[in-house]
């Protein structure tokens, strides 16, 4: 029986709280002791009643219900329960089209979205070619599109200059905002020019669009087909990712920066905890005041390397002050006859007052997939690497190793704003103060490259004298652009060299030779390292007295939470939030499970999809395993040929084992690696209507729907198949499937305990391939060789694929299971029959709404766009 609990100010409970059926977190025990001791409740919490059962009250008079007009109003209010939303969900709600009445979007939902803005960069011309190939001739909303040139700006070859001219002419013809080479990096332009606006949804055809979250703007990447769709129709689709909450406590010590925060997060939480999640950062007002907007931009930018799809900060007093300063600055530029900037049209005080009058924020009680905390006051300067963001080492530990530096970089959209340049310049000023005011030169044999994030940021650094002092020290200036950060242009790392950079990504070979070592650090650490010739810092950080370790962990972890201060107010709110969430969730579930919540079926879309399960028991099956790279750039490959080579780099027998109409089931992170669309179209050519996996690579998920292939994530099914077909019988009782790493070639744990092992990575001198060398027959080893071609990188910053993971024991790579799967699209339910006479079980899966069904039914996003163009007047 559920017992209600009453808290009021007149009589406090004399015994600890007892809540039937609720697991009370550690804070609750403390609360019970404090209440038992007779401590008064905080004023803002009195009085308040809570109950573990939903309350039903008569909210209106009987006569009002009898009046038809009043009854209609009250009836409409009863139809949809209050659904607390995260900030991510609230923003997506604003930019979603065609939502059913009273629909509150939640993580996992598919939506048709019309983003506030879309930015494309050097890939604008490939997007334009796709745009024209689908029959589009007019951009739907020129004000929605921004084009920048920033990636290959040092390349003065005729072919690159021709592409740049084509992009500029296309932008002029379609009257879209255009920023030429040298004006700045696209992401910085989006922020400083007011396109990335707080509370809006902004996308870009680049993975670091997460950066917009630093100003409270939900930024996320899209692929080129999506970009062409937005140009033509103003919209595309998106599946809202699970949302993880990162709660900051404490304040940043002197000498610790936002770059140290994100390097530490990537290194401390390095088991893909937030992979393919949306992130929301939170903290007290005091904590967030220690994170200026420039630091937030750095943190949000590198949530990409952490594996997330967004990194969102709240719209708070710090952001408001920064925006007011920028609005005043833009007004001054407008008053200057020398300035041609149009920033004031987007970034102005009247628009800010409208924003501040009703700022968006996450609802109390919003549901998060995961919650972690980090005490900023326990952080010290950190360095990432070598060659992986998952390796983070305290600076004081690394500096003792006397690691020489050959090249240092203060470049990229991550850390090349005026504040970053000022921090680096201060290193040389401080050194000059100890050298008779003579600016010392950088260490002999070290090359130090600097490039501002944008031309205005460089001009601000010049006005402050910061730019000149670094040039005087021997720094080599580069044009504002991506440059060395993405391995293009001057100053790349050579074989055997060591580089330290304030940029965002240090994958092996990213900034030059694969035989070089790359580290990431804050601007001041980069500058100090360039000055000394080895990795070191400026000495601005002093470890607090009594410091023992970094305080961090997962919310709800009793051991780690023991380090945190728990107040009566916080403990009480924790209990109330748990209980209210249970009540609301029950109300929402009841509402959602009613017949009125059945999914409508778009004409031409199958209401039910069923077939026999064909199981490919491996994790990290990358796009080259699905569709071999040697065919990727061959024109004229027929559907029949594609069907024959489908999955051939994984298993040469796949084409004969799998049959038309089968349901393909694979392990975790299916479709990782490069972004080739043939990975989806080859499976369709094989006439396989549905792919099920423990999880999918994000780009593959987008390419699937864009090409009319359906996919569903069902980790439970992968676990059951492995228990039945892979594990030794003695291990089948051991349940629990854990996702392996899905973000690059770092070491990956097994997917089923004791049953899987990693395919060893090749030596640096070997071809880029992954091959099983232990426990499999030579013929199987030959089948498993997966070789990537140099042309596979469809994006200039595509991460490397993860290594393939297979079972230790010899087994068929592709297995006909005899199991049947049926997906009821209307009820969003999958039913699995485990062979003849075997158990039957079902599970709810993500809803595929009619707008996404339509894209698939039309034959993919491009064909859907063509239909929209044909239907437009």
């Amino acid at each position: 029986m559920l017992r209600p609990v009453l808290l009021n100010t007149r009589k406090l409970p004399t015994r600890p709280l007892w809540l039937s059926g609720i697991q009370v977190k550690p804070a609750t025990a403390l609360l019970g002791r404090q209440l038992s001791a007779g401590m008064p409740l905080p004023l803002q919490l009195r009085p308040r009643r809570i109950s573990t059962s939903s309350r039903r009250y008569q909210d209106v008079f009987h006569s009002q219900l009898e009046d038809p007009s009043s009854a209609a109003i009250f009836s409409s209010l009863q139809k949809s329960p209050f659904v607390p939303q995260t900030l991510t969900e609230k923003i997506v709600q604003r930019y979603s089209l065609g939502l059913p009445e009273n629909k509150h979007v939640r993580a996992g939902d598919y939506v048709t979205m019309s983003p506030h803005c879309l930015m494309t960069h050097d890939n604008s011309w490939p997007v334009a070619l796709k745009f024209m190939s689908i029959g589009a001739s007019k951009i739907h909303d020129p004000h929605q599109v921004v084009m920048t040139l920033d990636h290959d700006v040092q390349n003065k070859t005729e072919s690159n200059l021709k592409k740049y001219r084509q992009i500029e002419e296309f932008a002029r013809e379609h009257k879209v905002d255009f920023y030429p080479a040298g004006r700045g990096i696209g992401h910085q332009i989006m922020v400083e020019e007011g396109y990335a606006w707080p509370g809006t949804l902004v996308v870009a055809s680049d993975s670091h669009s997460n950066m917009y979250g630093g100003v409270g703007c939900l930024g996320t990447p899209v692929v080129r087909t999506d970009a062409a769709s937005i140009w033509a129709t103003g919209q595309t689709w998106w599946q809202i990712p699970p949302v993880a909450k990162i709660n900051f406590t404490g304040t940043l010590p002197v000498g610790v920066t936002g770059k140290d925060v994100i390097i530490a997060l990537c290194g401390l939480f390095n088991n893909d905890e937030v992979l393919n999640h949306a992130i929301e950062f939170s903290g007290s007002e005091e904590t967030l005041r220690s994170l200026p907007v420039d630091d937030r931009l750095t943190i949000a930018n590198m949530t990409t390397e952490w594996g997330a799809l967004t990194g969102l900060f709240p719209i708070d007093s710090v952001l408001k002050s920064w925006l007011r300063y920028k609005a005043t600055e833009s007004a001054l530029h407008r008053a200057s006859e020398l300035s041609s900037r149009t920033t004031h049209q987007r970034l102005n005080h009247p628009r800010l007052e409208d924003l501040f009058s009703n700022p968006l924020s996450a609802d109390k009680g919003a549901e998060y997939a995961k919650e972690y905390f980090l005490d900023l006051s326990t952080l010290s300067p950190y360095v990432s690497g070598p060659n992986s963001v998952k390796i983070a080492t305290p600076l004081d530990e690394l500096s003792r190793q006397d690691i020489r530096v050959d090249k240092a970089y203060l470049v990229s959209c991550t850390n090349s704003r005026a504040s970053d340049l000022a921090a680096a310049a201060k290193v040389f000023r401080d050194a000059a103060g100890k050298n008779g005011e003579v600016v010392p030169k950088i260490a002999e044999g070290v090359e130090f490259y600097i490039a501002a994030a944008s031309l205005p940021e460089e001009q601000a650094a010049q006005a402050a004298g910061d730019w000149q002092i670094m040039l005087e020290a021997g720094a080599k200036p580069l044009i504002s652009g991506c440059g060395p950060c993405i391995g293009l242009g001057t100053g790349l790392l050579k074989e055997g060299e060591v580089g330290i950079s304030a940029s965002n990504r240090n994958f092996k070979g990213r900034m030059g030779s694969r035989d070089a070592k790359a580290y990431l650090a804050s601007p001041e650490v980069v500058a100090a390292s360039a000055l000394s010739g080895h990795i070191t810092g400026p000495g601005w950080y002093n470890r607090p007295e009594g410091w023992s370790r970094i305080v961090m962990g997962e919310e709800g972890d009793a051991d780690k939470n023991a380090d945190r201060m728990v107040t009566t107010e916080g403990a009480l709110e924790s209990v109330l939030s748990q209980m209210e969430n249970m009540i609301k969730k029950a109300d929402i579930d009841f509402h959602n499970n009613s017949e009125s919540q059945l999914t409508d079926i778009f004409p031409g879309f199958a209401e039910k999809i069923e077939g026999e399960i064909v199981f490919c028991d491996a994790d990290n099956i990358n796009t080259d395993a699905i569709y071999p790279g040697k065919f990727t750039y061959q024109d004229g490959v027929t559907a029949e040929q594609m069907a024959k080579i489908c999955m051939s780099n994984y298993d040469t027998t796949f084409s004969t084992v799998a049959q038309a109409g089968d349901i393909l089931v694979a392990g975790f992170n299916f479709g990782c690696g490069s972004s080739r669309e043939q990975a989806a179209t080859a499976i369709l050519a094989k006439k396989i209507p549905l792919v099920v996996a423990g999880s999918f690579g994000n780009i593959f998920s987008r390419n699937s729907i864009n090409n009319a292939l359906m996919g569903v994530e069902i980790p439970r099914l992968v676990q059951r198949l492995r228990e039945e077909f892979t594990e030794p019988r003695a291990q089948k009782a051991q349940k629990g499937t854990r996702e392996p790493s899905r973000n690059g070639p770092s070491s990956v744990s097994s997917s089923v305990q004791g049953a899987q092992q990693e395919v060893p990575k090749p030596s640096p001198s070997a071809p880029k391939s992954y091959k099983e060398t232990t426990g499999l027959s030579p013929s199987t080893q030959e089948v498993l060789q997966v070789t990537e071609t140099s042309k596979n990188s469809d994006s200039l910053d595509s991460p490397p694929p993860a290594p393939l993971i297979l079972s230790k024991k010899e087994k068929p790579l592709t297995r006909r299971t005899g199991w049947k799967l049926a997906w009821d699209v209307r009820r969003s339910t999958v039913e699995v029959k485990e062979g003849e006479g075997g158990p039957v079980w079902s599970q709810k899966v993500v809803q595929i709404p009619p707008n996404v069904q339509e894209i698939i039914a039309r034959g993919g996003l491009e064909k859907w766009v063509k239909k929209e163009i044909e239907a437009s007047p």
Side-chain angles (χ1 to χ4, degrees):
M1 175 179 178
L2 294 176
R3 302 183 184 179
V5 177
L6 176 66
L7 298 183
N8 58 48
T9 59
R10 288 176 293 183
K11 185 176 180 181
L12 292 168
T14 58
R15 60 181 183 276
L17 288 175
W18 179 86
L19 306 175
S20 174
I22 297 181
Q23 180 182 3
V24 181
K25 292 184 177 181
T28 311
L30 174 60
L31 173 64
R33 291 194 297 272
Q34 292 172 319
L35 292 176
S36 297
M39 291 177 63
L41 288 172
L43 185 64
Q44 68 268 28
L45 298 177
R46 317 177 197 167
R48 188 169 185 177
R49 292 180 174 82
I50 58 176
S51 172
T52 54
S53 58
S54 186
R55 295 169 292 182
R56 305 289 182 224
Y57 295 127
Q58 180 82 5
D59 294 320
V60 297
F61 291 110
H62 180 72
S63 59
Q64 290 177 302
L65 292 177
E66 290 183 340
D67 177 70
S69 58
S70 298
I73 295 173
F74 290 119
S75 175
S76 66
L77 294 175
Q78 299 283 340
K79 285 182 180 178
S80 178
F82 169 72
V83 179
Q85 291 178 302
T86 64
L87 180 56
T88 299
E89 291 165 343
K90 282 191 170 184
I91 294 175
V92 175
Q93 182 95 28
R94 280 188 169 186
Y95 290 90
S96 295
L97 304 177
L99 293 177
E101 186 179 1
N102 299 319
K103 167 68 176 177
H104 293 80
V105 300
R106 306 295 300 275
D109 286 348
Y110 286 94
V111 297
T112 296
M113 66 174 183
S114 179
H116 176 63
C117 285
L118 158 69
M119 187 272 286
T120 56
H121 46 65
D122 292 32
N123 58 20
S124 296
W125 188 243
V127 173
L129 293 176
K130 185 173 285 289
F131 171 81
M132 292 182 284
S133 73
I134 58 180
S137 58
K138 179 182 178 183
I139 288 182
H140 176 81
D141 180 3
H143 298 294
Q144 190 182 29
V145 179
V146 181
M147 296 183 190
T148 66
L149 299 179
D150 62 4
H151 270 54
D152 204 12
V153 292
Q154 296 180 39
N155 184 353
K156 303 301 182 182
T157 63
E158 178 54 32
S159 60
N160 192 58
L161 294 176
K162 177 183 178 182
K163 182 177 74 172
Y164 277 11
R165 287 194 299 269
Q166 290 171 321
I167 293 172
E168 184 172 7
E169 290 167 5
F170 185 90
R172 186 184 304 111
E173 177 187 349
H174 292 273
K175 296 181 173 58
V176 304
D177 288 356
F178 170 79
Y179 294 85
R183 172 57 179 79
I185 301 173
H187 299 306
Q188 176 65 25
I189 289 171
M190 294 296 284
V191 170
E192 70 187 18
E193 290 294 329
Y195 297 106
W197 189 253
T200 66
L201 172 61
V202 173
V203 299
S205 58
D206 185 274
S207 62
H208 286 102
S209 44
N210 294 29
M211 179 174 131
Y212 313 148
V215 291
C217 167
L218 186 63
T220 196
V222 294
V223 297
R224 296 175 184 180
T225 302
D226 296 309
S229 172
I230 294 169
W231 284 9
T233 67
Q235 58 188 277
T236 189
W237 65 274
W238 198 45
Q239 184 181 21
I240 307 173
V243 185
K245 183 178 182 181
I246 310 299
N247 187 38
F248 291 138
T249 61
T251 57
L252 275 185
V254 174
V256 182
T257 70
K259 187 58 165 280
D260 300 308
V261 173
I262 189 60
I263 287 177
L265 285 171
C266 291
L268 297 173
F269 297 95
N270 61 1
N271 290 314
D272 297 332
E273 287 90 343
V274 297
L275 187 65
N276 291 335
H277 282 63
I279 291 177
E280 292 185 13
F281 295 102
S282 69
S284 68
E285 184 177 354
E286 180 184 12
T287 294
L288 292 177
R289 273 203 305 267
S290 73
L291 288 172
V293 168
D294 282 1
D295 277 346
R296 298 179 185 195
L297 291 169
T298 297
I299 294 170
N301 181 292
M302 276 192 65
T303 57
T304 300
E305 279 63 46
W306 200 15
L309 299 177
T310 72
L312 186 61
F313 277 86
I315 303 170
D316 64 354
S317 59
V318 174
L319 178 61
K320 291 176 182 178
S321 297
W322 183 86
L323 287 168
R324 286 195 172 101
Y325 172 81
K326 290 295 183 181
T328 300
E329 185 180 58
S330 70
L332 293 175
H333 279 297
R334 182 186 184 186
S336 171
E337 295 181 359
L338 300 177
S339 176
S340 59
R341 293 177 64 180
T342 60
T343 319
H344 63 276
Q345 297 174 5
R346 296 170 297 276
L347 192 49
N348 53 66
H349 287 288
R351 192 180 181 198
L352 288 181
E353 292 310 312
D354 183 58
L355 169 69
F356 299 156
S357 66
N358 187 27
L360 284 180
S361 61
D363 287 325
K364 186 176 179 180
E367 185 176 343
Y368 292 90
K370 299 177 180 178
E371 296 189 37
Y372 299 97
F373 69 88
L374 176 66
D375 187 342
L376 300 181
S377 65
T378 64
L379 279 183
S380 64
Y382 263 78
V383 176
S384 170
N387 298 342
S388 173
V389 295
K390 292 190 175 187
I391 303 171
T393 308
L395 173 63
D396 64 344
E397 179 181 328
L398 210 60
S399 62
R400 290 194 295 269
Q401 299 178 25
D402 195 29
I403 301 171
R404 68 173 177 81
V405 169
D406 298 291
K407 290 185 172 74
Y409 305 90
L410 183 50
V411 299
S412 87
C413 55
T414 314
N415 272 117
S416 289
R417 284 169 281 279
S419 61
D420 301 310
L421 298 169
K426 185 178 185 301
V427 173
F428 294 98
R429 282 199 178 93
D430 288 352
K434 301 174 183 178
N435 191 40
E437 301 305 322
V438 176
V439 176
K441 298 295 182 180
I442 58 175
E444 185 178 353
V446 176
E447 297 176 20
F448 181 31
Y449 295 92
I450 59 173
S454 70
L455 186 57
E457 295 295 313
E458 180 180 330
Q459 291 169 343
Q462 289 174 346
D466 298 328
W467 191 260
Q468 293 89 330
I469 198 170
M470 287 188 285
L471 295 183
E472 189 177 345
K476 299 181 178 183
L478 298 174
I479 186 173
S480 179
C482 300
C485 176
I486 56 171
L488 294 174
T490 301
L492 303 187
L493 288 173
K494 298 177 182 177
E495 182 177 350
E497 289 188 331
V498 175
I500 186 165
S501 176
S503 54
N504 48 37
R505 192 169 282 174
N506 60 348
F507 295 155
K508 183 182 285 291
R510 163 82 172 184
M511 299 180 68
S513 171
R514 289 182 57 82
D515 293 323
K517 290 183 178 179
Y519 294 86
L520 303 177
S522 66
E524 48 263 55
V525 170
V526 170
S529 300
L531 184 60
S532 68
H534 63 272
I535 294 179
T536 190
W540 299 343
Y541 169 75
N542 291 311
R543 177 166 291 170
E545 187 176 348
W547 181 94
S548 60
R549 62 188 177 89
I550 292 177
V551 177
M552 43 76 74
E554 184 171 3
E555 296 286 0
D557 185 322
D559 293 335
K560 291 170 183 171
N561 274 304
D563 288 312
R564 306 178 68 192
M565 293 183 63
V566 182
T567 63
T568 303
E569 295 92 329
L572 180 58
E573 287 302 306
S574 176
V575 178
L576 297 177
S577 179
Q578 289 179 65
M579 298 179 68
E580 289 175 350
N581 283 347
M582 290 178 65
I583 296 166
K584 290 170 183 174
K585 188 175 186 304
D587 284 341
I588 294 166
D589 288 344
F590 176 82
H591 183 77
N592 288 343
N593 289 333
S594 65
E595 286 298 308
S596 63
Q597 292 301 306
L598 293 177
T599 305
D600 293 332
I601 303 298
F602 182 81
F605 191 87
E607 184 172 339
K608 195 169 187 178
I609 299 168
E610 53 189 331
E612 181 180 344
I613 292 174
V614 171
F615 187 34
C616 293
D617 187 6
D619 296 321
N620 300 324
I621 297 178
N622 65 30
T623 49
D624 190 75
I626 301 169
Y627 191 80
K630 63 184 178 181
F631 297 104
T632 303
Y633 294 92
Q634 290 186 16
D635 296 328
V637 180
T638 65
E640 291 76 14
Q641 291 171 322
M642 292 183 80
K644 288 180 180 179
I645 61 179
C646 176
M647 300 290 288
S648 61
N649 261 7
Y650 164 74
D651 179 8
T652 55
T653 69
F654 179 86
S655 62
T656 56
V657 175
Q659 304 297 321
D662 286 340
I663 307 297
L664 172 59
V665 179
F668 290 92
N669 202 24
F670 183 81
C672 59
S674 61
S675 57
R676 71 194 65 163
E677 296 187 342
Q678 294 98 322
T681 56
I683 294 173
L684 283 172
K686 186 62 180 170
K687 294 184 168 53
I688 291 174
L690 174 66
V691 179
V692 177
S695 61
F696 291 100
N698 181 59
I699 292 179
F700 179 83
S701 293
R702 293 212 63 80
N703 282 334
S704 294
I705 289 182
N706 286 350
N707 289 280
L709 175 66
M710 291 175 289
V712 180
E713 294 184 351
I714 312 177
R716 179 185 174 189
L717 176 57
V718 176
Q719 176 179 320
R720 284 292 304 122
L721 287 164
R722 285 176 169 168
E723 288 172 349
E724 186 64 29
F725 296 107
T726 304
E727 292 182 350
R729 293 191 180 275
Q731 294 181 346
K732 287 186 179 179
Q734 299 178 11
K735 303 292 180 70
T737 300
R738 192 176 77 80
E739 289 191 44
S741 169
R742 296 182 286 170
N743 194 26
S746 57
S747 181
V748 182
S749 300
S750 62
S751 288
V752 178
Q753 297 175 5
Q756 300 269 331
Q757 69 181 41
E758 180 184 344
V759 174
K761 289 175 282 187
S763 66
S765 59
K768 189 179 178 183
S769 64
Y770 301 106
K771 183 190 244 185
E772 177 67 89
T773 59
T774 305
L776 294 178
S777 66
S779 60
T780 302
Q781 292 182 31
E782 182 66 26
V783 167
L784 293 181
Q785 185 162 355
V786 178
T787 303
E788 291 276 345
T789 69
S790 60
K791 293 184 178 180
N792 278 357
S793 189
D794 193 46
S795 168
L796 287 171
D797 55 2
S798 294
L804 191 69
I805 296 179
L806 295 163
S807 172
K808 285 181 179 178
K809 59 184 289 187
E810 188 79 31
K811 63 178 178 59
L813 295 174
T814 306
R815 180 193 298 272
R816 298 198 67 82
T817 63
W819 292 20
K820 299 295 178 66
L821 181 146
W823 179 21
D824 188 330
V825 179
R826 184 179 293 279
R827 289 175 171 77
S828 302
T829 301
V830 163
E831 181 180 275
V832 175
K833 183 177 181 181
E834 298 185 358
E836 286 298 325
V840 177
W841 53 272
S842 62
Q843 178 176 317
K844 293 287 287 185
V845 294
V846 66
Q847 181 192 45
I848 306 296
N851 52 355
V852 177
Q853 295 175 29
E854 182 180 1
I855 293 173
I856 296 171
R858 299 286 191 207
L861 189 60
E862 289 188 26
K863 292 181 180 178
W864 176 84
V865 171
K866 287 181 179 180
K867 282 284 185 182
E868 291 294 301
I869 294 172
E870 292 170 1
S872 62

